């Protein structure tokens, strides 16, 4: 009788447990006490980021270590604990990593070595990075992107023109990573990514958005007015771009566009963020139900409340498993044959909305006030069915992947 091959183990090892406990303590002691203030101020929480840097949470070394974790679980564990603390502040801490992922995924080793360290800085001299993809008329429809990149052979520079929107750290960042169209006839396959170095002329912050949730995170437009960047700022290099465009013109298959490649790599991590928010709201509701008395007994003894909490726990655990599976598959280089990355982000995002809303219901009138954190958690959760691919787009990706049909 043959022994079946060993499958993935989702039992956290000692390193993961230590990571989880350390980040949980940081989230409880540093992030949570500051959450309500920075949500109310709607400003970037520089003092909290400084504390994160001193603790080693906001650093290139920390994120590089989690990214190469052989199980793939380092990033999900990290995201869940930080966002358990508070989503707005946590997004300010991790927002730079999306741009870093874009450079790491599409750039040459030399570009990674040059630009990623400049995205973090050091305590006392912090830096930020922003990934700029969405546009006013091109969110889910990346094929409608209008930002253009024109190559100037005389100077070996790329000239970027256009407006990006919904950019986390946009305009506030030191380093911007911008996707742009280099060949409009090829639509999504005619796009590329560029690094815009600190202090580059022509790049400016446009409107800063006042948001429903994640209000401690800076979200703004980025305006590019004939922004000139050196040829070396094209991620992957011109030779690789020219070869890819030639294949696209010949009708050869390609790997997709620059924005989607970045989002595919980060979706399990985004799902883990949503799991953290959901878990935080569930814990508040569970504690409240145990201590709140009505009709002479704790409300958790009422079947309606107990069953609601049971459902919340099931959805959270299921979402976490989907996230961990996708993260493990991505780290092992396994293909997402059933769009497992999109599955994890879709289910976790909708779980966060469902669980935070139910937590507010369990707390009743108290849940609707800012005296209790579930009101903020519910506002924060909603973005997870919208950004980095709406729930509808995730379903479209999953449907196309499992059917092979060009579903519109």
């Amino acid at each position: 009788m043959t022994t079946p091959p060993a499958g993935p183990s989702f039992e956290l090892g000692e390193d993961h447990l230590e990571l989880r406990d350390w980040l949980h303590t940081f989230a409880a002691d540093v992030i949570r006490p500051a959450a309500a203030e920075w949500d109310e101020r709607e400003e970037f929480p520089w003092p909290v980021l400084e504390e994160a840097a001193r603790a080693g949470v906001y650093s290139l070394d920390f994120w590089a270590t989690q990214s190469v974790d052989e199980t793939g679980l380092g990033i999900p564990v990290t995201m869940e604990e930080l966002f358990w603390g508070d989503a707005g502040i946590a997004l300010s801490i991790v927002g730079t990593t999306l741009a870093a992922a874009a450079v790491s995924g599409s750039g040459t080793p030399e570009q990674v070595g040059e630009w990623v360290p400049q995205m973090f800085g050091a305590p006392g001299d912090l830096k930020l990075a922003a990934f700029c993809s969405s546009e006013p008329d091109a969110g889910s429809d990346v094929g409608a992107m209008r930002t253009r990149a024109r190559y100037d052979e005389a100077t070996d520079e790329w000239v970027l023109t256009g407006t990006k929107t919904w950019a986390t750290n946009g305009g506030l960042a030191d380093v911007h990573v911008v996707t742009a169209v280099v060949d409009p006839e090829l639509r999504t396959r005619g796009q590329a990514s560029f690094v815009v170095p600190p202090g580059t002329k022509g790049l400016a912050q446009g409107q800063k958005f006042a948001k429903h949730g994640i209000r401690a995170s800076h979200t703004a437009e980025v305006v590019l007015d004939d922004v000139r960047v050196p040829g070396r700022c094209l991620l992957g290099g011109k030779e690789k771009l020219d070869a890819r465009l030639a294949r696209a013109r010949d009708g050869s298959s390609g790997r997709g566009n620059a924005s989607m490649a970045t989002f595919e790599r980060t979706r399990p991590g985004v799902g883990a963020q949503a799991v953290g928010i959901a878990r935080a709201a569930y814990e508040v509701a569970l504690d409240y139900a145990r201590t709140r008395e009505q009709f002479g007994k704790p409300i958790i003894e009422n079947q309606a409340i107990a069953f609601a909490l049971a459902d919340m726990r099931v959805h959270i655990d299921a979402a976490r498993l989907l996230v961990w599976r996708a993260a493990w598959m991505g780290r092992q280089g396994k293909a997402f044959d059933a769009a497992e990355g999109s599955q994890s982000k879709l289910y976790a995002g909708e779980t966060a909305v469902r669980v935070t809303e139910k937590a507010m219901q369990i707390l009743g009138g108290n849940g609707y006030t800012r005296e209790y954190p579930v009101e903020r958690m519910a506002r924060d959760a909603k973005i997870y069915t919208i950004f980095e691919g709406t729930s509808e787009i995730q379903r479209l990706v999953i449907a196309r992947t499992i059917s092979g049909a060009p579903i519109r």
Side-chain angles (χ1 to χ4, degrees):
M1 184 175 180
T2 59
T3 302
S9 172
F10 292 150
E11 182 177 1
L12 296 180
E14 184 176 341
D15 289 347
H16 289 123
L17 293 173
E18 290 180 359
L19 173 69
R20 185 190 65 186
D21 293 346
W22 170 53
L23 291 171
H24 186 81
T25 298
F26 177 82
D29 293 348
V30 177
I31 295 178
R32 281 203 166 180
E37 175 189 352
W38 291 99
D39 175 75
E40 190 71 26
R41 291 173 63 166
E42 297 190 59
E43 296 175 0
F44 190 88
W46 285 108
V48 184
L49 193 70
E50 189 68 46
E51 290 193 58
R54 288 198 297 269
V57 178
Y58 187 75
S59 73
L60 172 58
D61 288 345
F62 173 76
W63 289 102
T65 299
Q66 306 319 316
S67 297
V68 299
D69 169 40
E70 63 181 11
T71 68
L73 300 184
I75 291 293
V77 167
T78 297
M79 294 294 190
E80 181 174 337
E81 293 307 321
L82 292 178
F83 282 74
W84 171 90
D86 175 68
I89 290 177
L91 196 57
S92 294
I93 294 173
V94 309
T96 288
T97 63
L98 185 58
V103 174
S104 298
S106 301
T108 64
E110 294 76 17
Q111 289 172 325
V112 174
E114 178 179 6
W115 297 114
V116 175
Q118 295 187 49
M119 295 180 175
F120 292 90
D125 185 29
L126 298 181
K127 307 295 182 185
L128 298 176
F131 181 66
C132 307
S133 175
S134 294
E135 298 183 1
D137 296 317
S140 298
D141 182 9
V142 293
M145 188 178 294
R146 293 182 180 179
T147 297
R148 296 290 186 259
R150 173 179 58 83
Y151 183 59
D152 186 341
E153 292 188 22
T155 61
D156 184 28
E157 292 178 318
W158 287 91
V159 185
L160 309 180
T161 304
T163 299
K164 295 296 182 178
T165 194
W166 312 122
T168 299
N169 297 339
L172 198 64
D174 299 274
V175 178
H176 291 76
V177 178
V178 177
T179 56
V181 177
V182 295
D183 189 333
E185 293 183 0
L186 297 176
R187 288 178 58 79
T188 60
R189 296 176 69 188
Q191 298 174 6
S193 292
F194 301 84
V195 172
V196 181
T200 300
K201 293 181 180 179
L203 183 147
Q205 179 182 308
Q207 176 187 6
K208 178 190 174 185
F209 295 102
K211 304 188 301 294
H212 176 65
I214 54 169
R215 290 170 18 171
S217 174
H218 176 93
T219 309
E221 290 181 331
V222 174
V223 180
L224 304 142
D225 184 10
D226 286 340
V227 171
R228 286 182 169 268
V229 299
R232 63 184 174 83
C233 290
L234 166 64
L235 291 182
K238 194 169 187 303
E239 183 177 341
K240 183 177 179 181
L241 172 65
D242 289 342
R244 177 164 62 83
L245 295 178
R247 290 194 300 271
R249 294 186 189 105
D250 291 341
S252 302
S253 61
R255 292 178 57 193
N257 68 85
S259 297
M260 291 301 102
T262 297
F263 291 143
E264 285 171 8
R265 287 189 295 273
T266 58
R267 274 173 181 154
V270 175
Q273 298 172 11
V275 171
I277 298 170
R279 192 186 105 213
Y282 159 77
E283 290 176 1
V284 172
L286 178 62
D287 182 66
Y288 185 88
R290 285 169 170 165
T291 57
R292 171 70 167 173
E293 291 193 1
Q294 291 286 278
F295 304 106
K297 61 182 180 180
I299 62 173
I300 199 170
E301 294 183 21
N302 293 313
Q303 191 178 78
I305 301 298
F307 280 14
L309 288 163
D311 286 341
M312 292 159 74
R313 179 59 183 262
V314 169
H315 285 300
I316 292 167
D317 285 359
R320 184 184 296 108
L321 286 171
L322 284 171
V323 165
W324 284 14
R325 179 186 67 170
W328 179 85
M329 290 178 66
R331 187 69 186 107
Q332 308 310 313
K334 295 183 178 294
F336 287 172
D337 292 330
E340 285 85 355
S342 290
Q343 286 187 38
S344 69
K345 196 270 183 183
L346 168 66
Y347 192 81
E350 296 199 342
T351 291
V353 171
R354 181 185 301 116
V355 168
T356 54
E357 193 278 335
K358 185 58 69 175
M360 288 180 66
Q361 189 70 22
I362 290 173
L363 268 67
N366 286 326
Y368 200 66
T369 70
R370 295 190 183 180
E371 260 186 78
Y372 288 79
V374 293
E375 174 271 340
R376 184 180 68 251
M377 294 169 183
R379 287 189 284 107
D380 292 342
K382 183 56 191 171
I383 195 63
Y384 287 86
T385 65
I386 299 173
F387 75 170
E388 294 208 41
T390 64
S391 288
E392 291 74 20
I393 288 296
Q394 305 305 331
R395 287 185 168 90
L396 182 62
V397 171
I398 296 166
R400 284 177 174 173
T401 304
I402 63 177
S403 70
I407 299 168
R408 297 286 192 283

